[in-house]
Amino acid sequence: MKPMTHLQRLEAESIFIIREVAATAENPVMLYSIGKDSAVMLHLAMKAFAPGKPPFPLLHVDTTWKFREMIEFRDRRAKELGLDLIVHINEDGVRAGVNPFASGSRLHTDVMKTEGLKQALEKYRFDAAFGGARRDEEKSRAKERVFSLRSAEHRWEPKNQRPEPWRLFNTRKRQGESFRVFPLSNWTESDVWDYVALENIPVVPLYFARKRPVVKRDGMLIMRDDERMELRPGESVEEMEVRFRTLGCYPLTGAVRSQARDLPGIISEMRSSRSSEREGRLIDRDGGASMEEKKQEGYF
Amino acid sequence: MSSALKPLPVDAIPAVDASAAAIAQDETFAGPAPDGVAAPAASLLRFITCGSVDDGKSTLIGRLLHDTNSVFDDQMEALERDSRKFGTTGEDLDFALLVDGLSAEREQGITIDVAYRYFSTARRAFIIADTPGHEQYTRNMATGASQADLAIILVDARKGILPQTRRHSFITSMVGIRSVIVAINKMDLVGFDRAVFERIEADYRAILPQLGFTDIAFVPISAKGGDNIAARSASTPWYEGQTLLERLESVRPETLEPEGAPFRLPVQWVNRPNLDFRGFCGTAASGRIARGDAVVSLPSGRTSRVKAVFGPDGEVEAGFAGEALTLTLDDEIDASRGDVIVARGDTLRATRTLSVDLLWMSERPLIAGRRLIARIASAQTPALVRTLDEAVDIHSYRPRQTSALAMNEIGKVTLALERPTVAAPYADTRELGALILIDPMTNETAALGVVRAIAAEPGIQDAGVPAAAASASRFERARAQWLGTAAGRPRLAAPLVRFRAAAAILLGLLALLFGLGLPGAVLLALIDFTLRPFLWRLFTPEPKPGETNRPDEVGDGAGI
């Protein structure tokens, strides 16, 4: 046995999972959400198939409300790596005028993200989709399988999941069923950042502290990324040094005040942090088991 | 099956070296920290918590997370809210709510599924699989145990050893865990009485000989009050051992993989980015491989040499057990998913008959004659449960005769595999000795099992045999079928040969009946006997490696 560090063991496990999908799925796809977890997952996929390229495209479900820096980063990374990138927007949602301000976070996420994802999976007939979700993110994710079977209607049945002993993943499914596969299941937020630092993986600059235009709203700091965000009476835009622990739609993602301008800064800040990573996510807060309900409806 | 578990003298427990320096030097765990970054915990311990319902597993984990400062402020606030709403602890915080995430669990106050939790201390990173206590969810407990290095077995001080304690201990032992901590919980409810603790310890030691644990500790705790978990309890001055957390931080669990094992790589995927590159990808199950090493691909028996070894960061001099590798070889040998590349001289071989200890996990009971799909490492093949040899009585650990295995029962079966598959006893190698059985009708994972023994078979290659003998051309396969064996001499007793002979005689008799003369009837019978296997070859598709040869069944859309 050669000594293997904690991160090397996680890396080997993830590469194994990614190769398992390539070997068994007919039409896999990697969901790329542009965040740090996606960046790590993509990096692992590049390793798993070197010297070749990953034998599947990337899919980004664009809600049209992502930070502009995320979109620039996405297009640049896909070009640099020479990967096939599919961008899907739920046009029905756009036509119906769904947006995070008028419709509320829940409807916006349901329509633009969950419905958008289902549309894309059906349109391209993907039978396995990689996601960057980690079990340590949220309570109901702590029970998620690595290979999570979804019915033809994309539903997740928490009581009907297959046991996954050892590394023996049962990859059989019926016509119309699909898998969501989570190669980063056993990584923690801290593992992800340690690995980003160790491997020099490029991430969106929004993770690093900088002066940014923010508005205080509902106890959160929301960055006003474009003119579509209208100010309510009494609100004003302030320049503050902030960064983001997670990235999503800009109106729904709270910033944190920080001076961590580089990776070592982020890592030491995270190690001393007293709040969880998803605290800045509005969508997690609709009741205790809301993430579980979202998953049953097909959200990641 | 219980006979497979060797009794070990209980006093032969190695002393645990608890110094941090020893762990830092422990080669399995040591590793550099990235520059300019606070060092992440270098070593990793995966453990499970198991035991009977209401033994306080979820509470213990909540407590471990809380006492190691792994709970964030917003999660604590949510816990306070939830404790008021669903709590079962009156005014106090209900730590179980930290870990029971699914709404059905919160309402019923039980843990349905395995929940994975992550925390770390300065000395170690931990992955906990919190497993359900209910008998009906035994399969989830077994799943968690199969990936763990250590088990914490909880016992309620008021109840002592329960059937479920014995069941979980047995499964823990079956999947090869050798290090256990028996945490005797709810000591506060028995007044921290030393006699109670010692009685339960003696009761548990009485069942140890059948379990083969080599490294065992007993700790008196109260998960609710935090006694002897992260901090020593003032209520147990009579207890001189380590706290639970000290034990978790310092234990060095035994792994099953012996040192100096030969190189074995189950082929997971063949990487062909261009015509000049054919890389065999997989995670090395054991051993070490370097450029120039002689290797054999099983079951075909073809030999070659390693041209290059690629690790996760590109080409390397050598690859090791546990690493995700890609090998290129000097010769264009045809290995594919399900094959195993081994060092030349390895005694490993493909087999068709396995003796397996199973945990049955499906609602429909298992009876002999059931057809399932076996998955061993990366290989997948249809399998017939030839005999159901015995079931294990979970209370006495004694074997008993049975005609069916019900859900969550453990038994020993003999499996007949449709295709020769590389496997080895679990005691020698976890990777090639662990299996699952899949129900081809529902696709559910119906059983998990460990290989106890493999049957010797003539005519199937092991890595010590020259490759020429193993070439399996179309002609060879047809010849093998015609003779009823892969070996050179015909086997008249082979079922297929007997069937053909009977069919030929029947055809001859029919010919006589319809007025054909005797010579004509004999000739017809001979022609039938000779040509039938070739007709069979003509109309049945060639099974691709790793594919189930059942074109009429619902496909999994995955080519396997």
Side-chain angles (χ1 to χ4, degrees):
Chain A
M1 275 300 273
K2 192 179 111 179
M4 277 177 92
T5 65
H6 170 50
L7 286 179
Q8 284 170 329
R9 289 174 69 174
L10 289 173
E11 176 187 79
E13 177 183 81
S14 300
I15 291 175
F16 178 88
I17 293 162
I18 293 169
R19 286 174 173 171
E20 200 64 6
V21 173
T24 59
E26 266 177 14
N27 191 15
V29 66
M30 183 165 273
L31 298 172
Y32 180 66
S33 67
I34 325 174
K36 63 184 191 308
D37 302 318
S38 279
V40 166
M41 182 165 69
L42 180 56
H43 185 79
L44 291 162
M46 297 301 290
K47 285 191 175 199
F49 304 108
K53 282 186 186 147
F56 41 74
L58 301 179
L59 168 66
H60 179 233
V61 179
D62 193 346
T63 62
T64 72
W65 289 88
K66 298 293 171 195
F67 292 90
R68 283 169 303 168
E69 280 178 81
M70 289 171 73
I71 304 300
E72 286 158 23
F73 181 89
R74 172 193 79 190
D75 296 339
R76 195 174 65 242
R77 280 304 279 157
K79 210 154 94 201
E80 281 167 2
L81 299 172
L83 296 176
D84 181 10
L85 169 72
I86 299 169
V87 176
H88 179 82
I89 295 173
N90 180 354
E91 296 297 349
D92 300 347
V94 174
R95 267 194 301 275
V98 172
N99 74 61
F101 299 118
S103 329
S105 66
R106 177 136 199 186
L107 184 69
H108 167 74
T109 305
D110 283 351
V111 173
M112 298 309 293
K113 211 165 165 177
T114 311
E115 274 308 309
L117 174 63
K118 288 184 199 171
Q119 283 172 355
L121 295 178
E122 275 161 24
K123 178 175 167 188
Y124 299 97
R125 301 187 166 223
F126 292 123
D127 65 342
F130 291 103
R134 307 184 328 261
R135 285 172 177 155
D136 84 320
E137 278 178 274
E138 202 271 340
K139 273 195 296 259
S140 73
R141 281 187 177 172
K143 314 212 166 184
E144 181 56 282
R145 296 293 187 265
V146 174
F147 278 71
S148 178
L149 185 69
R150 302 299 162 97
S151 67
E153 297 74 43
H154 298 282
R155 280 189 71 81
W156 175 70
E157 299 295 344
K159 289 190 186 175
N160 201 14
Q161 296 192 76
R162 296 171 180 175
E164 289 182 338
W166 297 285
R167 287 192 322 216
L168 294 168
F169 299 113
N170 172 356
T171 52
R172 292 172 59 90
K173 60 188 178 316
R174 291 197 182 90
Q175 203 60 44
E177 291 178 337
S178 61
F179 284 109
R180 302 278 201 283
V181 185
F182 305 109
L184 305 184
S185 283
N186 288 320
W187 295 58
T188 64
E189 185 184 15
S190 160
D191 296 330
V192 167
W193 282 120
D194 288 338
Y195 191 73
V196 165
L198 194 66
E199 302 270 322
N200 283 318
I201 301 172
V203 292
V204 183
L206 290 160
Y207 285 115
F208 303 109
R210 254 212 351 244
K211 284 241 183 280
R212 295 191 170 94
V214 294
V215 176
K216 287 184 182 153
R217 182 178 290 184
D218 302 332
M220 297 183 18
L221 296 174
I222 303 294
M223 174 174 155
R224 190 163 181 242
D225 197 46
D226 58 37
E227 298 301 307
R228 291 180 295 177
M229 178 174 177
E230 289 169 18
L231 293 181
R232 295 176 190 163
E235 282 183 343
S236 63
V237 178
E238 294 172 62
E239 287 284 321
M240 257 187 230
E241 190 163 26
V242 294
R243 65 179 208 88
F244 294 88
R245 271 180 88 176
T246 62
L247 295 177
C249 298
Y250 83 81
L252 304 176
T253 309
V256 291
R257 303 193 75 153
S258 162
Q259 280 141 32
R261 297 186 188 92
D262 54 13
L263 280 173
I266 289 182
I267 290 171
S268 64
E269 185 178 277
M270 181 192 55
R271 292 210 202 287
S272 57
S273 167
R274 294 301 316 139
S275 62
S276 71
E277 156 187 31
R278 296 190 75 88
E279 192 192 26
R281 290 283 186 109
L282 268 170
I283 60 164
D284 289 359
R285 296 191 188 178
D286 320 331
S290 70
M291 183 61 96
E292 183 186 346
E293 289 160 26
K294 282 199 191 64
K295 284 184 60 167
Q296 288 184 354
E297 291 154 12
Y299 177 77
F300 254 79
Chain B
M1 151 156 175
S2 40
S3 57
L5 300 166
K6 286 193 208 64
L8 280 139
V10 174
D11 54 359
I13 293 163
V16 174
D17 185 344
S19 74
I23 290 178
Q25 287 162 5
D26 180 343
E27 58 167 15
T28 321
F29 291 126
D35 292 334
V37 172
S43 74
L44 172 67
L45 183 81
R46 289 178 178 230
F47 69 92
I48 57 164
T49 49
C50 57
S52 206
V53 182
D54 292 336
D55 283 348
K57 286 180 299 297
S58 297
T59 309
L60 171 65
I61 292 178
R63 182 47 88 168
L64 271 172
L65 296 175
H66 177 265
D67 291 1
T68 54
N69 284 324
S70 312
V71 184
F72 293 117
D73 290 350
D74 54 310
Q75 291 169 328
M76 277 310 285
E77 283 163 29
L79 174 64
E80 282 160 24
R81 277 199 308 275
D82 291 348
S83 293
R84 284 193 295 271
K85 194 167 165 188
F86 305 103
T88 55
T89 50
E91 288 300 297
D92 301 325
L93 289 179
D94 187 347
F95 286 105
L97 294 175
L98 268 179
V99 292
D100 287 342
L102 300 176
S103 27
E105 297 178 345
R106 302 170 147 232
E107 285 147 22
Q108 298 166 29
I110 56 160
T111 307
I112 288 175
D113 207 334
V114 188
Y116 294 89
R117 293 276 147 196
Y118 305 81
F119 74 101
S120 53
T121 63
R123 295 170 69 181
R124 245 189 196 165
F126 298 94
I127 300 180
I128 319 176
D130 175 18
T131 66
H134 267 258
E135 191 178 319
Q136 74 194 94
Y137 302 115
T138 299
R139 60 187 204 166
N140 296 330
M141 178 267 150
T143 298
S146 71
Q147 298 153 353
D149 312 310
L150 173 143
I152 296 180
I153 296 168
L154 267 100
V155 178
D156 184 331
R158 296 167 306 168
K159 298 177 186 164
I161 305 213
L162 297 169
Q164 195 68 343
T165 320
R166 299 176 68 102
R167 179 194 299 266
H168 282 183
S169 300
F170 192 90
I171 292 169
T172 296
S173 161
M174 171 176 152
V175 300
I177 294 176
R178 295 285 170 263
S179 300
V180 296
I181 301 173
V182 180
I184 298 169
N185 190 21
K186 306 195 184 182
M187 287 300 293
D188 54 318
L189 301 179
V190 294
F192 293 99
D193 184 344
R194 181 177 186 170
V196 172
F197 173 76
E198 285 176 350
R199 192 177 63 241
I200 293 173
E201 177 174 351
D203 287 350
Y204 197 87
R205 285 198 184 276
I207 60 171
L208 269 185
Q210 293 144 300
L211 296 169
F213 300 141
T214 54
D215 170 21
I216 183 161
F218 293 85
V219 188
I221 63 166
S222 161
K224 202 171 127 193
D227 298 81
N228 293 331
I229 289 169
R232 197 153 277 292
S233 169
S235 312
T236 55
W238 44 266
Y239 173 70
E240 290 171 0
Q242 293 174 299
T243 63
L244 191 70
L245 191 61
E246 281 170 350
R247 181 81 189 168
L248 289 171
E249 285 184 315
S250 61
V251 74
R252 296 166 74 185
E254 279 188 42
T255 52
L256 273 176
E257 301 303 332
E259 287 294 316
F263 176 76
R264 292 163 175 179
L265 180 110
V267 177
Q268 200 187 352
W269 190 70
V270 182
N271 189 1
R272 304 216 57 184
N274 56 54
L275 291 176
D276 308 323
F277 190 94
R278 182 200 286 249
F280 300 103
C281 300
T283 300
S286 59
R288 168 187 185 276
I289 194 80
R291 199 178 308 141
D293 287 358
V295 293
V296 183
S297 168
L298 298 174
S300 76
R302 293 173 196 284
T303 59
S304 186
R305 281 186 184 278
V306 176
K307 184 157 58 173
V309 183
F310 297 86
D313 300 320
E315 194 170 348
V316 286
E317 278 302 312
F320 298 85
E323 294 183 329
L325 303 173
T326 301
L327 305 183
T328 55
L329 305 177
D330 283 339
D331 312 272
E332 283 282 306
I333 69 168
D334 189 26
S336 52
R337 180 177 169 86
D339 296 352
V340 182
I341 293 174
V342 301
R344 195 176 302 178
D346 193 343
T347 53
L348 194 68
R349 51 191 180 72
T351 178
R352 277 181 126 123
T353 312
L354 297 174
S355 175
V356 175
D357 289 347
L358 278 190
L359 169 69
W360 188 246
M361 306 193 288
S362 167
E363 295 200 342
R364 209 173 118 209
L366 174 70
I367 48 168
R370 254 312 262 291
R371 289 183 183 281
L372 297 147
I373 294 165
R375 175 83 200 271
I376 304 170
S378 57
Q380 197 158 285
T381 171
L384 170 75
V385 179
R386 193 182 288 157
T387 53
L388 175 50
D389 304 319
E390 61 190 40
V392 172
D393 183 327
I394 212 71
H395 306 291
S396 64
Y397 296 166
R398 274 199 274 276
R400 58 179 172 82
Q401 290 308 304
T402 185
S403 57
L405 269 192
M407 183 150 108
N408 295 320
E409 284 193 328
I410 295 168
K412 194 191 222 62
V413 303
T414 304
L415 283 186
L417 307 179
E418 190 167 291
R419 269 192 310 283
T421 303
V422 179
Y426 189 77
D428 300 344
T429 167
R430 264 184 193 227
E431 295 289 328
L432 293 161
L435 59 90
I436 55 172
L437 296 178
I438 300 165
D439 183 329
M441 300 299 156
T442 62
N443 285 340
E444 69 178 320
T445 305
L448 64 84
V450 295
V451 175
R452 288 299 173 211
I454 55 177
E457 283 174 71
I460 291 179
Q461 294 310 302
D462 68 30
V465 175
S471 77
S473 66
R474 189 173 270 274
F475 170 77
E476 295 261 336
R477 279 197 300 270
R479 178 167 158 267
Q481 206 152 20
W482 204 90
L483 297 171
T485 169
R489 293 188 321 279
R491 265 179 68 207
L492 293 179
L496 206 68
V497 180
R498 285 207 308 247
F499 165 78
R500 265 159 47 210
I505 290 165
L506 193 69
L507 191 73
L509 286 174
L510 276 173
L512 281 175
L513 208 65
F514 284 105
L516 200 69
L518 189 66
V522 170
L523 188 68
L524 197 65
L526 276 174
I527 290 170
D528 177 74
F529 181 79
T530 311
L531 291 183
R532 192 175 283 267
F534 297 97
L535 286 173
W536 177 254
R537 275 253 148 255
L538 216 57
F539 293 111
T540 52
E542 285 280 315
K544 274 194 274 211
E547 187 186 60
T548 56
N549 185 18
R550 300 179 58 171
D552 56 342
E553 76 179 12
V554 183
D556 58 0
I560 59 159

